[in-house]
Amino acid sequence: MTTIGLPRPGIRVSEQMASAVSEGLLSRPKWLPAWLFYDTAGSQLFNQITELPEYYLTRTERSIFSDCSDEMIALAAGGGALRIVELGAGSADKTRLLLNAAVDRQDTVIYEPVDVSASALEEAQERIEREISGVLVMPRVEDYTKGLGLDAAAMGERRLVLYIGSSIGNFEPDEALQLLKNVRAALATGDTILLGVDLVKDKSTLVAAYNDAAGVTAAFNLNMLVRLNRELGADFDLAAFAHRALWNAGRSRMEMHLASSKRQRVHLPALDLKIDFEKGETIHTENSYKYRPGQVEETLSSAGFTPVKTWMDTEKRFAVSLAKAGS
Ligand code: AVI
C-alpha cells in the first residue's frame, strides 16, 4: 500500500529512495511513496499548487486563521504563556497569523518548527525572525513521524502544537492515529494541538483540486519520475505517463496515480531493475484523506486528547480543531 513516510535521518535519502522505489515498483499494484514529491522542484510546484484557484485547501484554512487566531491562541494559552511547536517547517502566512496573535498576548514567543530538512528550517527561521518581532525561533531537525522529543517547557508555560495544512491527510488512518498518539506522549497535561483537516465534499470540487486546469498538479505528480530519472538514472518517458486524480468514496480519500499510456519497459540502472508496464497500468503516488465533520474530534480523542473547539469556514470545506492533552 502506498504510504507517505519520510526519509529517516541518518540514512542517506538515496539509500532510502533505493529501497522504497524497488519495493514500490516491484509491487502489484505499483506504488511510490509521496515523500518523493518533495525535491526542490517538487516543493516549488507544491507552493504553486497552494495558490491555484481549484486548490481551495490553503486559502480556506488561511481564512479560518484570519478570523479565529486570537480565539485559538487565547483558548490554547488558558491565561498563561504559550510556546508554539509546528510539525513541518511552517507555511509562511498561516503560521504568521497564529504567531502574531501569540505575540499580541505575551512579549516573547518561542516557536519550535520541527522538520527533517535543516535547510527548510533555516529558511523558516530567517523569515519568521525577520517578519515578526518578539518570536524566538528554536528549530528542531527531527522526523516527527517516528516520535517527538520535546524539552520540558518552562514553569507555567503551555505548548501548542500546530499540525496544519491537511498534512495528516497524507497518512493512512492507523499511521495518523499513531502520529497523534506520539504527539500526545511528548506533551504535558493541558498542552494543546491545533489540527487542520480537509473535509469530505462534492466529488467535482475534490477532483478539480487535484487535477487543475493549468496542469500544475500533473507536473507535481510527474516530477516524481523526473526525480527518478535524475537520481537513479532511470529512463521514464514522461510523455508516456499521465496524471490521474480520482475520488475513492469508500475510503474517503483523493488518490493520485501515474498511468502508463502504452506497454513499455523502464530501466533503473542504479537499482539494477527493469520494470514492465502494461498499457493503462498505474503507479499509485499519493492518498489524501478527507474527514467527515466530527471525525477529527473522534480521532483526537482516540489519541488521548480532549477536543476543545473546532472552527470551519462557512461552506464547511475545511476544519481546524483544537484539543487538549488529557491526564
Ligand atoms: C501536502 N498535502 C497536504 C497535499 C494534499 O493536498 O494532500 C499534497 C498535494 N497533493 C496534490 N496536491 C497537493
Side-chain angles (χ1 to χ4, degrees):
M1 180 57 331
T2 305
T3 181
I4 176 163
L6 281 171
R8 275 173 283 152
I11 296 189
R12 284 195 5 254
V13 173
S14 55
E15 286 173 26
Q16 187 168 26
M17 178 190 277
S19 63
V21 171
S22 325
E23 189 189 338
L25 293 182
L26 290 169
S27 299
R28 295 287 175 278
K30 295 178 171 57
W31 58 270
L32 286 169
W35 56 260
L36 279 176
F37 285 135
Y38 300 96
D39 62 358
T40 306
S43 301
Q44 280 165 0
L45 285 163
F46 176 65
N47 286 339
Q48 284 180 40
I49 288 174
T50 63
E51 290 175 5
L52 291 168
E54 295 94 335
Y55 195 76
Y56 59 84
L57 289 81
T58 310
R59 65 170 182 279
T60 307
E61 189 182 40
R62 188 191 300 121
S63 77
I64 297 173
F65 288 136
S66 334
D67 293 345
C68 311
S69 325
D70 289 339
E71 188 189 3
M72 290 169 177
I73 293 293
L75 283 172
L82 265 191
R83 172 189 282 243
I84 298 181
V85 178
E86 181 163 16
L87 306 184
S91 44
D93 33 288
K94 287 183 288 175
T95 307
R96 194 186 296 122
L97 290 166
L98 291 160
L99 290 173
N100 274 326
V103 285
D104 283 350
R105 292 177 55 92
Q106 60 195 72
D107 294 340
T108 311
V109 178
I110 296 177
Y111 169 61
E112 302 171 297
V114 184
D115 204 285
V116 275
S117 160
S119 60
L121 286 168
E122 265 167 42
E123 261 174 51
Q125 173 160 25
E126 194 276 317
R127 191 183 59 236
I128 301 268
E129 286 183 343
R130 178 167 35 85
E131 291 177 358
I132 315 175
S133 59
V135 176
L136 179 65
V137 183
M138 295 175 60
R140 305 183 66 96
V141 182
E142 207 175 301
D143 180 358
Y144 62 79
T145 66
K146 305 284 184 301
L148 193 58
L150 296 172
D151 313 317
M155 279 285 283
E157 196 178 44
R158 282 184 173 175
R159 270 200 169 90
L160 165 64
V161 173
L162 309 180
Y163 199 34
I164 59 180
S166 178
S167 303
I168 193 88
N170 293 128
F171 292 88
E172 295 304 308
D174 59 330
E175 294 172 331
L177 181 60
Q178 189 54 53
L179 191 154
L180 294 174
K181 283 183 177 171
N182 293 346
V183 173
R184 169 62 194 94
L187 295 179
T189 305
D191 288 345
T192 48
I193 183 168
L194 199 56
L195 185 64
V197 300
D198 193 17
L199 298 174
V200 174
K201 54 188 63 64
D202 64 282
K203 180 178 163 182
S204 58
T205 303
L206 285 165
V207 171
Y210 291 81
N211 193 16
D212 61 282
V216 182
T217 311
F220 174 72
N221 200 4
L222 282 159
N223 179 60
M224 208 182 262
L225 304 185
V226 176
R227 182 172 184 180
L228 299 193
N229 284 352
R230 184 182 63 245
E231 295 185 27
L232 299 175
D235 60 357
F236 282 97
D237 173 5
L238 299 185
F241 285 89
H243 168 64
R244 296 268 178 276
L246 59 96
W247 170 236
N248 182 334
R251 306 194 69 171
S252 196
R253 69 190 191 197
M254 278 302 302
E255 295 179 3
M256 296 211 308
H257 300 262
L258 290 164
S260 174
S261 61
K262 61 181 187 192
R263 210 183 150 130
Q264 58 180 318
R265 171 166 286 186
V266 175
H267 303 87
L268 295 97
L271 306 180
D272 197 18
L273 275 181
K274 296 179 188 65
I275 303 289
D276 290 321
F277 287 85
E278 293 300 327
K279 183 174 169 150
E281 192 178 352
T282 56
I283 310 174
H284 188 168
T285 51
E286 184 183 61
N287 290 321
S288 195
Y289 282 86
K290 308 302 169 188
Y291 287 66
R292 45 175 176 73
Q295 193 185 353
V296 61
E297 292 88 343
E298 283 164 26
T299 309
L300 285 163
S301 300
S302 308
F305 289 95
T306 306
V308 175
K309 181 159 182 176
T310 297
W311 295 262
M312 282 182 273
D313 57 299
T314 47
E315 290 176 78
K316 296 193 170 30
R317 288 182 155 196
F318 201 94
V320 178
S321 212
L322 180 75
K324 197 169 276 196
S327 46

